[in-house]
Amino acid sequence: MKTKDILLAAFLLILAITGLYIHCKLPAAAAAAMESAVKDSRETVQLPILMYHGITGDPSKTGEYFITTDTFEKDLKWLRDHGYTTISVKQLADYAKNGARLPEKPVLLTFDDGYRNNYTLAFPLLQKYNAKAVISLIGSESDLSSDTVYRGDADTGGNITWGEAALMVQSGLVEIGNHTYDLHRNEGGRKGADKLKGESDEAYRKVLTADLGHNQDLIAAATGHPSLLFAWPFGAWPTDGSADPILKDLGFAGSLTSYQIMNTIRRDDPDSLFGLKRFLRTPSFVLSEHLPA
């Protein structure tokens, strides 16, 4: 930001404090420029968000959405050794909403889908490194797993149960995100929770409110409070921001997409938490090529 813009923003703040601003007769364009300068002068933080899915102990089972426990542990070590601090969604929301401080090099770890191995394999490593993460569950899958007595091995045995979600939240290291109750599918012309072509705003609101709201209720029943974060299935979302008011009404402080780039989060700007971008952690992904060391 240029020095003159900083000085302009500071002068505007002084005018507001002394009450002189309301007496100034500024042209609309000048007033808009000053408002923009104040907004741009807010403190910002660069936030990398890593997107994980499944964890496996068997190297032969790795793929685009599955990495080994060894790879995940190496990630946690690399982040620790290079000064990164894993943060919670609540910390991030407090920064954007209330101006609370964040650590110098924050990073957000996210898991999508809520596979059981997130509990059996990833969670012990989070505990070992005292690392925080948010696991976004598909509610219908957690319902199914919670009603299943035998789920097979730790790698492939379905999804996290509501009881397992509650245990992880009690550790203080894990938050539960919302990944829809039963919209994580690609059929009938709708991709995930995205808006159908030609669908009215009212109809779309009803769809999102019914599905996401039900999952919010289930998450609250299991953990004591609804989710603060919504992860768009397949990274498909209305890019015009038309869904953001719906998400806010459901209690979300932010939402996750994909796009493989860094995020700039503005302090005291809650809207900067919607449409957050993430780096997909594949077996070939190299942290040092995307995150500053």
Side-chain angles (χ1 to χ4, degrees):
M1 186 175 181
K2 297 181 179 180
T3 301
K4 66 178 183 180
D5 292 332
I6 296 175
L7 293 175
L8 179 60
F11 178 66
L12 182 58
L13 290 175
I14 293 172
L15 288 178
I17 293 171
T18 60
L20 293 177
Y21 178 77
I22 60 174
H23 299 295
C24 293
K25 305 298 183 180
L26 294 174
M34 286 187 174
E35 182 180 354
S36 176
V38 171
K39 183 176 182 180
D40 291 344
S41 69
R42 292 169 177 165
E43 178 185 329
T44 63
V45 64
Q46 296 298 297
L47 177 70
I49 303 179
L50 298 177
M51 175 170 53
Y52 298 92
H53 289 80
I55 305 293
T56 176
D58 184 351
S60 68
K61 295 179 180 178
T62 61
E64 185 177 7
Y65 297 106
F66 267 72
I67 61 170
T68 65
T69 51
D70 181 60
T71 297
F72 183 53
E73 182 165 15
K74 286 180 179 178
D75 284 359
L76 295 176
K77 285 181 178 178
W78 189 92
L79 293 169
R80 179 199 62 189
D81 294 345
H82 289 84
Y84 283 91
T85 301
T86 57
I87 63 170
S88 67
V89 180
K90 186 179 185 306
Q91 284 177 279
L92 184 59
D94 283 343
Y95 173 83
K97 287 185 175 182
N98 307 315
R101 289 289 175 184
L102 286 177
E104 184 176 351
K105 294 175 71 173
V107 60
L108 184 64
L109 307 183
T110 70
F111 287 81
D112 279 9
D113 302 334
Y115 294 119
R116 183 190 177 204
N117 53 59
N118 294 176
Y119 174 72
T120 57
L121 301 179
F123 181 48
L125 290 174
L126 294 175
Q127 292 175 304
K128 180 178 178 179
Y129 289 89
N130 195 36
K132 298 176 181 178
V134 55
I135 300 175
S136 297
L137 302 181
I138 303 169
S140 60
E141 295 294 336
S142 287
D143 272 353
L144 183 62
S145 291
S146 297
D147 291 337
T148 302
V149 175
Y150 178 71
R151 292 183 286 158
D153 63 56
D155 282 11
T156 60
N159 286 54
I160 292 168
T161 67
W162 294 112
E164 290 164 348
L167 287 173
M168 288 190 289
V169 169
Q170 289 173 10
S171 73
L173 296 175
V174 173
E175 294 168 295
I176 299 301
N178 191 324
H179 204 34
T180 77
Y181 178 75
D182 200 29
L183 285 176
H184 197 292
R185 55 186 76 247
N186 189 1
E187 60 185 31
R190 188 189 303 279
K191 187 173 184 180
D194 201 357
K195 191 176 184 179
L196 283 171
K197 184 177 181 180
E199 187 172 27
S200 70
D201 292 343
E202 180 181 359
Y204 185 53
R205 174 177 280 273
K206 287 181 179 179
V207 169
L208 281 193
T209 299
D211 184 275
L212 275 57
H214 181 48
N215 213 26
Q216 286 289 73
D217 291 341
L218 292 172
I219 292 170
T223 68
H225 50 80
S227 175
L228 290 174
L229 195 64
F230 175 61
W232 289 98
F234 313 113
W237 64 304
T239 55
D240 61 0
S242 59
D244 292 352
I246 305 173
L247 299 183
K248 291 175 183 177
D249 287 345
L250 289 167
F252 295 109
S255 62
L256 301 171
T257 60
S258 189
Y259 293 108
Q260 305 287 105
I261 59 176
M262 191 78 73
N263 297 280
T264 298
I265 310 299
R266 292 185 294 275
R267 194 177 186 188
D268 297 317
D269 185 4
D271 288 341
S272 64
L273 299 187
F274 287 86
L276 294 171
K277 316 304 187 292
R278 294 185 287 175
F279 295 102
L280 174 61
R281 196 358 169 158
T282 65
S284 61
F285 182 88
V286 180
L287 285 180
S288 60
E289 293 180 359
H290 298 86
L291 277 65

